[in-house]
Each structure stands twice: as structure tokens, then as C-alpha cells.
Amino acid sequence: MKRSRTIVFHCRFGGPLGWGHVIRSSALAEAAQDFGWKTILYSSSDFELLGSETLLAFDEHISVQEQSMESVLRGAEAVFVDEMYWKDEDFEEVAHLARASDCLLVATDIT
């Protein structure tokens, strides 16, 4: 499978979850773009809650309801998961999909 220089950022944001996860992800996404990487924000949160500056850090915004993680990871080189209060089985599913896709998994703020 041909790989593209793509990083998928998976995080939820807004309301009681706060904004730190998506702000951290957007800063990393901007840096990745500077090095020629394509960046995708993958989330179950409402993208309309984000300001245009934050949205610009990502080349694409894909809703969990719109596309499966498996299809989003197809061809990506890395997935960055910034989630707090995630169920162990949710993280394990993403870890399994990353391994199956031969995709680097980076996780932060997992409790």
C-alpha cells in the first residue's frame, strides 16, 4: 500500500471536554503542514464550534459519523490520539486499527 505523508488527529472538544486537546492538535498539525504533511482532524465533536484559525490547521475535517476510522487510516502514516476520559476498549480499537494499517500511533492525555 502506498503511504502518503498524512497524520490523522483524533480528539473530541468543546463543552465539558474543553478546548485543550484540539488546540494542542492544531498546533502540531500546523507544524506538520510546514514539513509537507497532510493533516486530518477526525472527531465526533461539532466542527462548527471551532474558529476558522483552528480549522485551517487541518487540511480535512472528517466526522466519526461520516467515515470509519479504518477508512480514514488507510494510507496514513500516523495517528495522533489526544483523548481524555476514553474507555479502554475505544483506545484498544484505535490501537488495533493503527497496527492493522501499519500506522504509527501517538497518544497523549490518555487516562
Side-chain angles (χ1 to χ4, degrees):
M1 173 187 296
K2 185 176 183 210
R3 296 240 170 240
S4 62
R5 291 176 52 100
T6 301
I7 301 176
V8 177
F9 292 85
H10 187 299
C11 68
R12 295 175 295 160
F13 51 85
L17 298 170
W19 300 98
H21 301 106
V22 73
I23 296 303
R24 178 174 32 243
S25 293
S26 68
L28 291 168
E30 284 178 341
Q33 284 177 331
D34 289 344
F35 286 93
W37 287 74
K38 177 181 175 182
T39 58
I40 298 172
L41 176 59
Y42 183 72
S43 183
S44 60
S45 298
D46 184 357
F47 297 121
E48 291 184 15
L49 296 173
L50 296 175
S52 59
E53 186 175 321
T54 304
L55 284 173
L56 286 175
F58 303 98
D59 297 304
E60 288 184 53
H61 320 105
I62 301 173
S63 170
V64 168
Q65 295 83 2
E66 162 186 325
Q67 199 169 339
S68 72
M69 174 63 96
E70 184 176 11
S71 67
V72 171
L73 289 182
R74 208 169 283 132
E77 286 191 28
V79 58
F80 180 82
V81 178
D82 194 345
E83 287 284 353
M84 194 174 213
Y85 313 118
W86 233 21
K87 296 177 191 167
D88 288 345
E89 55 268 17
D90 291 338
F91 178 75
E92 287 300 322
E93 179 183 353
V94 171
H96 171 75
L97 290 172
R99 283 190 299 273
S101 300
D102 196 26
C103 191
L104 173 68
L105 171 64
V106 179
T108 184
D109 221 358
I110 303 291
T111 56

